[in-house]
Amino acid sequence: MNTRLTSVLASVTFGLAILSGLAFLGTGVTHMLDDGAVCVETGFWANARLASDGLPVAKGVEAAGSVTRLCQNGPSVGQRAADLGGELPWLLFGALALLLFSRLLTTVLRQGPFTGAVAGRLSALGWFVAVGTPVAGLVVGWSQSWLVDSMAPVVGSGPTVSGPMVLVLAGLAGVILGKIMREGVRMREDLEGTI
């Protein structure tokens, strides 16, 4: 096992987790203090064109020529928070996943790769990725859906799940590998006890 490479990787992932956490906080604070317009993309009217009488949009909302981009000048606090819902869940998810991965690598360095603690950390990371991916995607989808509905109430499109859902498979693979490792550790301990 290359401990120097693992040590560097653990440090880099911890640093990236801290940077992602700071980006999460910074984005949240600066966006809530911003007084600019809030814009959202929608595919509901993707093939529509602006008619002379306009579209049924809320007061202060501007629609782009292709009607896929809506912008609210002077948004409410709820609209600004819903706009943040499109960015913050993935930043938080990334920061926490990197932190869990860094802890996994640190445990590998301290105790070795084939221990019960490493198997537990791998399973925890797997569960976090498997469950956190659809949760973050649902929060993003619901936030964007609510934001579109607040600007153009006629749309009526329901919340969607967005993001890379293939990560669920990666998370489940981590859970399975963690269980396999745990069984391997148990079998090794049983074997050492009989010798």
Side-chain angles (χ1 to χ4, degrees):
M1 180 177 79
N2 191 341
T3 57
R4 180 175 291 169
L5 179 63
T6 306
S7 177
V8 168
L9 192 56
S11 298
V12 168
T13 55
F14 182 75
L16 288 173
I18 297 299
L19 285 176
S20 294
L22 291 174
F24 171 79
L25 293 174
T27 301
V29 169
T30 57
H31 196 72
M32 287 307 285
L33 296 177
D34 183 18
D35 60 352
V38 167
C39 296
V40 66
E41 298 282 332
T42 178
F44 186 78
W45 289 306
N47 296 323
R49 295 283 178 230
L50 283 175
S52 58
D53 59 347
L55 295 169
V57 295
K59 183 178 179 183
V61 174
E62 296 175 10
S66 64
V67 199
T68 58
R69 182 173 171 86
L70 303 170
C71 292
Q72 172 76 54
N73 295 314
S76 68
V77 173
Q79 287 174 321
R80 194 161 297 285
D83 187 39
L84 272 174
E87 296 176 46
L88 291 186
W90 291 117
L91 282 172
L92 181 62
F93 174 80
L96 293 175
L98 285 168
L99 185 62
L100 288 172
F101 186 62
S102 175
R103 291 183 65 204
L104 170 68
L105 292 175
T106 303
T107 305
V108 167
L109 282 171
R110 290 186 182 151
Q111 299 181 13
F114 304 107
T115 62
V118 170
R121 293 223 190 267
L122 183 59
S123 291
L125 176 61
W127 278 117
F128 177 77
V129 171
V131 174
T133 299
V135 168
L138 188 60
V139 170
V140 168
W142 178 83
S143 296
Q144 295 304 299
S145 176
W146 185 89
L147 189 57
V148 168
D149 189 51
S150 73
M151 292 184 193
V154 132
V155 172
S157 63
T160 59
V161 178
S162 65
M165 290 301 131
V166 72
L167 290 178
V168 172
L169 296 176
L172 291 175
V175 171
I176 292 167
L177 286 174
K179 290 192 178 289
I180 291 170
M181 283 181 67
R182 189 179 320 262
E183 281 301 308
V185 168
R186 187 189 59 76
M187 289 172 63
R188 186 185 71 195
E189 290 170 351
D190 288 348
L191 184 61
E192 288 173 352
T194 59
I195 292 178

